[in-house]
């Protein structure tokens, strides 16, 4: 391989959120333990990106900055090349992240007291964004069929028909269950939204991180009617491990809907802009770092298979759901017989395994864990071995 996906960088003392949270959760954590929680990678970003940012800073005046034509061209080229989506420049609104983007999208589409549909178990800020806009959550809980999560379309249609429901906040690929929705599933989701005049707010931040054999379909790219009813949130942040630069692109074809989005921003004295480095990083990532991404996807697929095989052979009591997209694997740990607090304590104090607890993704996530697989394979394997040893030491049968 051309790129280094085996060296582990020391992130202690750098302000890394997950490393700080790990030590807060258990100050007695051994020094060689790596956290597997917050969704950024334990890989250095592409060397082409680092070199470009270093070159960019030479003689740079760090003043007020707006996106250039080259920036928009890079975003448009990426959407067309990787996702077969023809995007116009004026559809693109820069945002300081996908989370601020969907907070504002809800504000643009609702009034206090309205309802917004979400699909738990789901990314915790989805709950927070609905509530922060003084709206009510309509939970269209995902269902499990044949060991795979699916959308409960009967329930979705029922909740979409409620007169107070104004939007669907959709996660595609889905975090945390790892589903890459099929075109048929997306068409049905879009149809229900159109039939009931719900705006489709689609968080597609993980859209580049899709495992071999699966294909991510951008919902808004499926047709004119859908595009005119959608707010699509994308970013290079997860793809290229640059979340700390806080840069995203909100893409809205419908001029009226785009105006509502911008008007909602203006009421908060906010503006559609990024910091100077985020612009350059996004442009560089989308024009010079595709080869790095292609190698990364192979590493993630190998890590996925490593964890699946380890659990199947050595801890079959933990069920691993198929990972189709994202680098976040979803584990069903309910057979271990622990409640949420017991499971969390066991992981952080006995196994020294720092994950995202399933209950933060909604009540239906209780007894589950989400693990971030974006790390060197040898680090992941050591963590899995620690888990097995802790289970046996604690007298908890791993199911072998």
């Amino acid at each position: 391989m051309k790129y280094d996906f085996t060296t582990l960088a020391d992130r202690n003392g750098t302000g890394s959120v997950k490393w700080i949270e790990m030590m807060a959760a258990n100050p007695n954590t051994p020094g060689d333990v790596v956290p597997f929680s917050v969704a950024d990678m334990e890989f250095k970003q592409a060397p082409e990106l680092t070199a470009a940012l270093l070159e960019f800073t030479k003689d740079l005046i760090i003043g007020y900055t707006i996106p250039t034509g080259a920036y928009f061209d890079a975003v448009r080229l990426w959407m067309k090349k990787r996702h077969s989506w023809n995007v116009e420049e004026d559809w693109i609104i820069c945002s300081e992240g996908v989370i601020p983007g969907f907070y504002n999208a809800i504000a643009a589409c609702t009034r206090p007291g309205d309802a917004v549909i979400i699909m738990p178990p789901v990314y915790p800020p989805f709950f927070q964004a609905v509530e922060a806009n003084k709206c009510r959550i309509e939970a269209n809980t995902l269902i499990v069929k044949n060991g795979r999560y699916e959308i409960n379309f009967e329930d979705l249609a029922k909740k979409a028909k409620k007169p107070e429901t104004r939007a669907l906040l959709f996660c595609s690929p889905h975090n945390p269950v790892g589903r890459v929705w099929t075109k048929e599933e997306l068409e049905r989701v879009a149809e229900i939204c159109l039939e009931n005049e719900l705006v489709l707010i689609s968080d597609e931040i993980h859209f580049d991180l899709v495992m071999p054999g699966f294909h991510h379909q951008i919902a808004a790219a499926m047709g004119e009617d859908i595009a005119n009813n959608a707010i699509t949130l994308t970013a290079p942040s997860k793809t290229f491990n640059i979340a700390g630069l806080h840069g995203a692109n909100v893409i809205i074809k419908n001029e009226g809907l785009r105006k509502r989005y911008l008007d909602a921003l203006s009421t908060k004295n906010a503006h559609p802009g990024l910091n100077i480095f985020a612009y350059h990083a996004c442009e560089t990532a989308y024009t010079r770092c595709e080869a790095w991404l292609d190698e990364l996807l192979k590493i993630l697929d190998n890590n996925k298979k490593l964890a699946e095989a380890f659990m199947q052979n050595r801890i079959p009591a933990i069920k691993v759901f198929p990972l189709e997209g994202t680098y976040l694997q979803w584990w069903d740990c309910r057979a271990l017989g622990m409640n949420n607090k017991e499971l969390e304590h066991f992981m952080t104090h006995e196994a020294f395994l720092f994950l995202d607890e399933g209950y933060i993704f909604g009540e239906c996530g209780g007894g589950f864990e989400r693990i971030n697989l974006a790390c060197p394979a040898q680090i992941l394997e050591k963590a899995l071995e620690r888990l097995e040893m802790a289970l046996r030491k604690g007298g908890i049968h791993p199911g072998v």
Side-chain angles (χ1 to χ4, degrees), residues 14-275:
T14 65
S16 168
V17 171
K18 62 182 172 183
W19 284 76
I20 290 172
E21 288 181 346
M22 174 176 71
M23 297 311 298
N26 185 356
N28 297 316
T29 299
D32 62 345
V33 171
V34 175
F36 297 87
S37 52
V38 177
D40 60 26
M41 305 184 205
E42 299 302 321
F43 298 128
K44 291 183 179 180
Q45 61 270 11
E48 293 89 344
L49 182 53
T50 301
L53 287 174
L54 288 172
E55 179 66 26
F56 183 59
T57 60
K58 290 181 180 179
D59 303 319
L60 177 67
I61 295 175
I62 308 175
Y64 293 113
T65 310
I66 60 173
T68 63
Y71 175 88
F72 287 119
D73 287 346
V75 174
R76 293 177 61 208
L77 177 64
W78 188 260
M79 298 304 162
K80 183 174 183 178
K81 184 177 182 181
R82 298 290 293 203
H83 299 286
S84 302
W85 191 21
N86 292 311
V87 171
E88 298 298 327
E89 181 176 316
D90 60 0
W91 302 0
I92 304 169
I93 301 170
C94 296
S95 172
E96 295 178 339
V98 162
I99 294 175
F102 62 64
Y103 266 73
N104 193 67
I106 293 172
C109 300
T110 66
R111 294 179 180 179
D114 286 343
V116 177
I117 298 173
I118 63 174
M119 297 178 176
V122 74
Y123 187 45
F126 275 34
F127 297 90
Q128 298 154 10
V130 176
E131 293 169 347
N133 280 288
K134 297 182 172 57
C135 291
R136 180 171 55 79
I137 292 169
E138 280 285 356
N140 171 228
T141 304
L142 299 178
I143 54 178
V144 178
K145 288 186 177 179
N146 301 317
R148 187 169 181 252
Y149 278 90
E150 295 185 3
I151 296 169
N152 185 339
F153 283 108
E154 182 179 353
D155 181 66
L156 177 61
K158 178 181 177 182
K159 287 173 176 171
K161 283 182 171 62
K162 294 184 178 182
E164 67 272 22
T165 305
R166 292 287 181 266
L168 166 62
L169 181 53
F170 190 59
C171 196
S172 178
H174 194 280
N175 172 15
V177 307
R179 273 299 316 277
V180 173
W181 306 115
T182 65
K183 186 176 181 182
E184 291 72 26
E185 288 171 315
L186 292 170
E187 286 173 342
R188 182 65 183 128
V189 167
E191 180 183 18
I192 290 171
C193 287
L194 287 167
E195 286 174 352
N196 296 281
E197 299 183 346
L198 310 185
V199 177
L200 176 59
I201 304 170
S202 190
D203 174 358
E204 305 195 20
I205 193 170
H206 292 99
F207 69 154
D208 294 314
L209 299 166
V210 176
M211 298 298 103
F214 296 93
H215 170 71
H216 175 78
Q217 172 67 57
I218 292 178
M222 293 192 303
E224 195 80 5
D225 288 347
I226 300 169
N228 277 314
N229 190 51
I231 297 175
T232 305
L233 302 117
T234 73
S237 53
K238 302 298 184 190
T239 306
F240 295 101
N241 205 28
I242 52 173
L245 288 175
H246 297 282
N249 295 293
V250 182
I251 303 176
I252 310 173
K253 181 181 188 298
N254 184 301
E255 185 177 356
L257 189 55
R258 192 163 64 244
K259 184 179 184 303
R260 286 163 62 189
Y261 183 94
L262 292 169
D263 287 347
L265 265 185
S266 68
T267 63
K268 304 170 188 173
N269 292 319
H271 66 93
L274 311 179
N275 71 74

Side-chain angles (χ1 to χ4, degrees), residues 26 345-353 386 389-390 393-394:
N26 185 356
H345 186 272
F346 170 80
M347 290 294 185
T348 57
H349 287 73
E350 303 299 331
F352 297 109
L353 200 56
R386 260 196 333 270
M389 289 176 60
K393 183 178 178 180

